[in-house]
Amino acid sequence: MEIFNTAPLSLPRLPDKARVTLLALGDVGSTLLMGLRLLGGDVISSLGICDVRENVASRWEFELDQIAPPEGGPLPEADVIAPEQLFDGDVFLFCASRMIPDTSVVQGDVRMAQYGLNRELVGHYARMAREKQYRGLFVVVSDPVDPLCRWALRESNKDERGVYDGLGLSPEQIRGFGLGVMHARALYFARRDPRFASYLTEGRAFGPHGEDLVLANSLTHYDDALSRELTELVAHANLEMRKLGFKPYVAPALSSGALTLLALLRRQWHYASLYDGRVFMGRRSRLTDNGPETEHVPLPPALAQRLADTRAKLDAIE
């Protein structure tokens, strides 16, 4: 039986300006950092950056701290940190991956293909957070976001014998950042096809950053067939980029990563994966002093069934 610490004292307490640490400065991590450096001066005090590859973090410290507006401004400075310092801040961003399919992969669920290796990696850092008695936010950006969040929760709450004891990360501490770009892609298609225009003002995104995404064209005038068509376009937009010969990382790094984190720190509504008692699943939420507040909206029966199906699929992932 899984037992997790949900006492009020386990809720993350973030200062007005947070110390953000980030692991892995690949395409996603470095792009995300640029967004935080440029836009995060009001809510980020500093950026601790870490990469296990030689000189990579030093390169990005050198680059990032030379970004400045002509007349100055409050941009958060970056500094290089060791892996053991990753949990000395307020927000930890996990952007590491052991396997990223190259551009020749243009079909199938590219995100889930990374799960086997990446869960070992996220499990290692979740256990490190446990050892450090970390009480900040543990944010998963790497694919597949939602299953990796649950794996991190499980692994951090096991003792050295593998027995659940609830003494690791609390569910409230863990977030998955993947749904933001799916919402952004839905907006992209809605601006270009009038059939989807209702999404611009009435639509919502739910579920994982992957094949089982659920988009609703409208909560008040829900059209199941239209919503499924939009979902199909968005869920496979990454494959369209791969067909062009490029890895789809810029929009995810900024829409799901930098802009989502800034909205969270500013206590604004945003899309993130939260724990519902069994799985991590994406929805609109915002951070409050009492923990995450999720948006509660009436769901048409057909939409509710889609969400139930997606939740069951997420729950089946070990």
Side-chain angles (χ1 to χ4, degrees):
M1 180 178 181
E2 298 175 5
I3 303 173
F4 302 122
N5 184 359
T6 57
L9 290 178
S10 69
L11 294 173
R13 304 294 181 185
L14 300 181
D16 291 338
K17 283 197 171 186
R19 163 73 166 172
V20 176
T21 61
L22 185 147
L23 173 69
L25 299 164
D27 291 335
V28 170
S30 59
T31 304
L32 194 163
L33 275 173
M34 285 187 276
L36 297 182
R37 166 73 174 172
L38 288 168
L39 302 172
D42 62 323
V43 287
I44 296 175
S45 61
S46 60
L47 300 162
I49 59 177
C50 178
D51 196 291
V52 297
R53 296 169 296 171
E54 185 178 5
N55 293 329
V56 171
S58 296
R59 175 258 172 127
W60 279 106
E61 181 275 332
F62 197 66
E63 293 271 33
L64 289 167
D65 288 345
Q66 293 178 39
I67 298 173
E71 297 184 1
L75 305 186
E77 290 202 358
D79 57 279
V80 177
I81 60 174
E84 55 268 23
Q85 296 173 290
L86 284 167
F87 298 103
D88 293 340
D90 304 299
V91 179
F92 165 67
L93 298 175
F94 177 84
C95 299
S97 182
R98 281 184 171 165
M99 191 276 284
I100 300 175
D102 63 30
T103 55
S104 65
V105 179
V106 295
Q107 60 183 357
D109 194 338
V110 178
R111 304 174 188 97
M112 281 303 299
Q114 303 174 63
Y115 181 49
L117 291 174
N118 285 352
R119 76 176 186 179
E120 296 177 12
L121 202 55
V122 80
H124 170 76
Y125 287 96
R127 290 188 291 273
M128 184 184 294
R130 171 194 172 95
E131 293 167 4
K132 291 277 189 174
Q133 297 184 331
Y134 179 61
R135 287 297 173 255
L137 285 179
F138 187 109
V139 178
V140 176
V141 182
S142 301
D143 283 328
V145 169
D146 310 75
L148 288 180
C149 285
R150 186 161 74 159
W151 193 259
L153 180 62
R154 287 176 168 177
E155 291 301 298
S156 78
N157 281 282
K158 292 179 181 178
D159 65 16
E160 62 277 4
R161 298 167 297 166
V163 177
Y164 289 108
D165 59 13
L167 299 180
L169 295 167
S170 72
E172 294 86 357
Q173 286 179 266
I174 301 176
R175 298 285 190 287
F177 283 1
L179 195 56
V181 74
M182 303 310 237
H183 171 63
R185 286 170 175 163
L187 295 174
Y188 173 89
F189 289 112
R191 288 192 296 265
R192 285 156 177 78
D193 189 332
R195 295 180 305 127
F196 303 131
S198 59
Y199 187 90
L200 296 172
T201 55
E202 303 170 9
R204 289 292 188 278
F206 303 93
H209 174 62
E211 289 290 324
D212 296 312
L213 171 73
V214 175
L215 296 179
N217 73 300
S218 169
L219 291 176
T220 53
H221 302 90
Y222 179 71
D223 183 315
D224 193 62
L226 198 63
S227 295
R228 289 176 182 273
E229 184 179 349
L230 179 60
T231 300
E232 186 75 8
L233 284 171
V234 169
H236 299 113
N238 64 321
L239 300 181
E240 295 305 310
M241 180 61 74
R242 287 176 172 276
K243 290 177 183 177
L244 295 176
F246 301 94
K247 294 179 182 179
Y249 67 85
V250 176
L254 295 175
S255 292
S256 288
L259 294 173
T260 296
L261 177 60
L262 294 176
L264 181 151
L265 294 175
R266 292 168 182 153
R267 308 303 199 265
Q268 298 168 347
W269 290 101
H270 59 278
Y271 283 102
S273 291
L274 302 174
Y275 193 62
D276 69 2
R278 189 66 191 178
V279 301
F280 281 84
M281 190 159 150
R283 71 201 85 168
R284 262 168 57 93
S285 67
R286 62 181 174 184
L287 186 65
T288 74
D289 291 339
N290 296 317
E293 175 189 359
T294 58
E295 181 184 54
H296 293 285
V297 292
L299 300 176
L303 177 58
Q305 185 58 56
R306 290 178 67 196
L307 293 175
D309 292 343
T310 282
R311 186 176 185 273
K313 290 178 181 179
L314 286 172
D315 196 21
I317 299 172
E318 292 298 327

